[in-house]
């Protein structure tokens, strides 16, 4: 009995090991295409710049190539000078960083205005209990309070972190401010940055029971509540701890808004293709880049969030290549490491092309068993049959690498 259990464990270990190595080996042996394609907008030439990392994945060699929007290749130094905010350190080391740009002196304050952020339309996991920080502390920085807040059908409630008792006095004070602003309990969504790793706190943006949006924060221990006039149905709110914006608001009809610190709402002229944007902002422009399977689009907006230019670059992604199509027919799933390389995660094949090969492997398994005069329909044979049917080529190799005695 124990020998059979050990055999099954060995087979499953082999299956997951192959799921990690075989797809990676296949991809490395067939993929010879650009590694990365990046889009930028030059504050100097007011034109788009395309950066491509090209090479051979089999040999592990690559190099960067730079082009303007017309396809003319640029030298690396010329590329850096066209994008001074992206290459500030290297240009200063070379003594090539400009003193002014577009008639504006490039002071340290202007160079520090460069911000980068990932914007995602899908709402991430939010805590049931959140800290409400003091927005105007006596000392610079953000400190954890002694209580946490949550919303229930009666409104906001503050719980002491040590005793878990409700602070009714504080809750009543904030509830009065919320009701005066027109808030309807309970809250549908709470969006903010519940972390002390920021220079200041701007509180939270709360979506109430009927979909209205409110800004809630604590100033000198007192509630600050302000309704944000908003007609859309909120899908997610991405808050920012610095810069000219409070947040970006994503709606369920794929519209994106930017709320500045003067409480002006700007509807952005961008297409929410896959709900994920890379935002880069500086003194002159705000750029929103969205990557799709086979293209990358960069939207360039002025400081008032009006469209200046737009460019789409076709990208030769491995995932849409013929080689990747063959991979999906061979491997039912693959194992990948998390970014921190701490855990393995199984990535199932969303395209069910591999079913055909799984059936072929299962048929071969039955034929080989019959030729060898093995008893297929005993428990060990049935388990092997199911493993091959579910895991295809991985299971086919594994069950014969660790054969049963029956």
């Amino acid at each position: 009995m124990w020998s059979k259990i050990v055999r099954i464990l060995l087979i499953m270990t082999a299956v997951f090991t192959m799921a990690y190595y075989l797809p990676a080996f296949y991809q490395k042996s067939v993929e010879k295409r650009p590694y990365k394609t990046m889009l930028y907008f030059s504050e100097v030439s007011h034109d788009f710049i395309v950066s491509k990392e090209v090479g051979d994945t089999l040999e592990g060699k690559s190099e960067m190539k730079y082009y303007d929007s017309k396809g003319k290749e640029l030298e690396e130094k010329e590329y850096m000078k066209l994008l001074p905010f992206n290459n500030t350190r290297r240009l200063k080391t070379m003594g090539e960083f400009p003193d002014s740009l577009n008639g504006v002196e490039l002071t340290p304050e202007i160079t520090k205005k460069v911000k980068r952020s990932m914007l995602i339309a899908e709402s991430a996991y939010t805590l049931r209990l959140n800290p409400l920080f003091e927005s105007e502390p006596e000392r610079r920085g953000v400190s954890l309070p002694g209580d946490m807040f949550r919303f229930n059908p009666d409104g906001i409630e503050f719980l002491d972190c040590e005793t878990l008792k409700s602070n009714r006095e504080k809750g009543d004070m904030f509830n009065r401010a919320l009701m005066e602003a027109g808030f309807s309990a309970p809250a549908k969504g709470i969006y903010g940055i519940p972390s002390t790793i920021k220079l200041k706190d701007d509180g939270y943006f709360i979506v109430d029971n009927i979909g209205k949006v409110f800004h809630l924060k604590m100033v000198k221990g007192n509630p600050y509540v302000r309704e944000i006039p908003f007609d859309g149905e909120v899908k997610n709110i991405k808050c920012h701890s610095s810069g000219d914006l409070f947040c970006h608001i994503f709606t369920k009809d794929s519209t994106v808004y930017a709320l500045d610190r003067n409480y002006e709402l700007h509807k952005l002229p961008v297409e929410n293709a896959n709900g994920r944007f890379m935002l880069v902002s500086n003194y002159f422009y705000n750029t929103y880049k969205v990557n799709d399977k086979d293209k990358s689009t960069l939207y360039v907006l002025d400081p008032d969030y009006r469209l200046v230019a737009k460019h789409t670059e076709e990208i030769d992604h491995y995932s849409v290549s013929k080689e990747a199509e063959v991979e999906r027919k061979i491997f039912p799933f693959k194992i990948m490491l998390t970014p921190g390389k701490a855990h393995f995660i199984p990535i199932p094949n969303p395209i069910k092309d591999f079913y055909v090969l799984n059936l072929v492997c299962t048929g071969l398994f039955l034929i080989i068993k019959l030729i060898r005069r093995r008893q297929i329909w005993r428990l060990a044979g049935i388990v092997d049959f199911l493993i091959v049917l579910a895991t295809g080529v991985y299971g086919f190799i594994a069950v014969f690498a660790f054969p049963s005695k029956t």
Side-chain angles (χ1 to χ4, degrees):
M1 180 64 182
W2 284 108
S3 62
K4 293 179 180 179
I5 295 175
V6 170
R7 176 177 175 268
I8 296 299
L9 292 175
L10 289 172
I11 288 174
M12 297 311 299
T13 301
V15 165
F16 286 114
T17 302
M18 285 186 282
Y20 177 70
Y21 285 104
L22 291 185
F25 177 78
Y26 169 85
Q27 181 176 340
K28 185 173 287 189
S29 63
V30 300
E31 184 189 9
K32 298 179 182 180
R33 60 187 69 253
Y35 292 137
K36 296 179 183 177
T37 299
M38 303 295 292
L39 268 176
Y40 306 97
F41 190 76
S42 171
E43 299 83 15
V44 178
S45 64
H46 309 290
D47 194 10
F48 291 93
I49 306 294
V50 181
S51 169
K52 293 185 177 182
E53 185 182 10
V54 298
D56 190 326
T57 54
L58 186 59
E59 297 181 2
K61 297 179 180 178
S62 66
E63 62 176 329
M64 298 302 301
K65 298 284 187 179
Y66 310 101
Y67 307 89
D68 63 16
S69 61
K70 299 179 179 61
K72 176 186 174 183
E73 187 170 351
L74 305 171
E75 295 292 332
E76 183 179 18
K77 185 175 180 181
E78 184 181 3
Y79 152 80
M80 288 192 296
K81 292 175 72 174
L82 288 172
L83 297 169
F85 294 124
N86 288 39
N87 303 280
T88 301
R89 184 174 298 179
R90 293 186 65 183
L91 288 173
K92 285 185 176 180
T93 302
M94 297 162 54
E96 298 283 354
F97 190 78
D99 295 324
S100 63
L101 185 60
N102 301 326
V104 178
E105 183 183 358
L106 295 184
T107 62
E109 289 73 21
I110 289 180
T111 57
K112 288 179 180 178
K113 286 180 71 69
V114 178
K115 303 294 179 184
R116 293 174 174 85
S117 180
M118 177 64 74
L119 309 178
I120 302 175
E122 294 298 328
S123 180
Y125 173 77
T126 56
L127 301 173
R128 296 295 182 184
L129 292 171
N130 293 278
L132 186 59
F133 305 103
E134 172 57 59
S135 294
E136 295 184 9
E138 294 181 0
R139 297 180 180 179
R140 186 180 182 185
V142 179
S143 300
L144 278 171
D147 53 25
M148 307 284 275
F149 78 91
R150 66 182 178 184
F151 279 90
N152 55 42
D154 296 323
I156 194 169
E157 180 183 16
F158 290 87
L159 297 174
D160 187 275
C161 292
E162 292 186 0
T163 65
L164 297 181
K165 291 183 179 180
S166 177
N167 187 336
R168 294 184 178 275
E169 183 179 350
K170 187 174 182 179
D172 290 343
M173 178 174 62
F174 275 80
N175 273 319
R176 282 195 298 271
L178 285 163
M179 285 189 292
E180 287 173 3
F183 179 85
S184 176
K188 282 186 177 179
I190 303 172
Y191 306 93
I193 306 175
S195 168
T196 57
I197 308 176
K198 52 188 175 181
L199 295 177
K200 63 176 183 176
D201 178 67
D202 291 315
Y204 294 84
F205 288 88
I206 314 295
V207 180
D208 76 356
N209 190 42
I210 58 176
K212 293 194 292 185
V213 182
F214 295 84
H215 186 198
L216 170 69
K217 62 180 178 177
M218 183 167 63
V219 180
K220 302 297 184 182
N222 296 309
Y224 173 94
V225 182
R226 176 165 178 163
E227 182 182 355
I228 310 299
F230 189 75
D231 296 328
E233 188 175 0
V234 175
K235 187 176 185 180
N236 190 27
I237 298 178
K238 168 67 176 181
C239 296
H240 306 286
S241 61
S242 61
D244 298 329
L245 297 178
F246 274 131
C247 61
H248 282 82
I249 303 176
F250 292 84
T251 66
K252 292 189 176 181
D253 64 355
S254 300
T255 306
V256 188
Y257 295 84
L259 180 67
D260 67 27
R261 294 185 182 273
N262 294 318
Y263 290 97
E264 290 188 31
L265 201 61
H266 306 272
K267 183 178 179 180
L268 303 185
V270 299
E271 296 176 8
N272 189 4
N274 61 7
R276 186 184 296 263
F277 289 99
M278 182 65 185
L279 166 64
V280 179
S281 61
N282 56 46
Y283 181 84
F284 300 99
Y285 298 109
N286 299 292
T287 63
Y288 293 81
K289 183 174 69 175
V290 58
N291 293 322
D292 212 340
K293 287 184 177 181
D294 56 354
K295 62 184 179 181
S296 181
T297 303
L298 187 69
Y299 300 87
V300 184
L301 280 58
D302 66 13
D304 294 320
Y305 299 94
R306 295 177 299 224
L307 184 66
V308 173
K310 169 186 172 183
H311 180 75
T312 298
E313 188 75 16
E314 300 296 325
I315 297 179
D316 188 17
H317 276 302
Y318 171 77
S319 61
V320 294
S321 67
K322 291 183 178 180
E323 293 90 344
E325 185 179 347
V326 173
E327 179 188 324
R328 289 192 290 267
K329 291 180 178 180
I330 298 174
F331 306 114
F333 64 95
K334 57 185 176 182
I335 301 294
M336 297 182 67
L337 281 171
T338 58
K341 300 186 182 300
H343 301 90
F344 291 96
I345 52 174
I347 308 297
N349 184 349
I351 301 174
K352 305 300 187 292
D353 296 340
F354 65 86
Y355 281 174
V356 175
L357 185 58
N358 280 23
L359 291 173
V360 171
C361 290
T362 305
L364 287 175
F365 165 78
L366 293 174
I367 292 171
I368 292 172
K369 287 290 186 179
L370 289 172
I371 291 174
R372 293 182 176 181
R373 300 179 183 275
R374 301 287 187 180
Q375 296 184 22
I376 300 172
W377 303 118
R378 297 188 69 174
L379 180 60
I382 295 174
V383 171
D384 287 355
F385 174 85
L386 294 175
I387 290 174
V388 176
L389 183 63
T391 63
V393 65
Y394 304 138
F396 181 80
I397 296 172
V399 297
F400 288 108
F402 302 98
S404 64
K405 296 180 180 179
T406 59

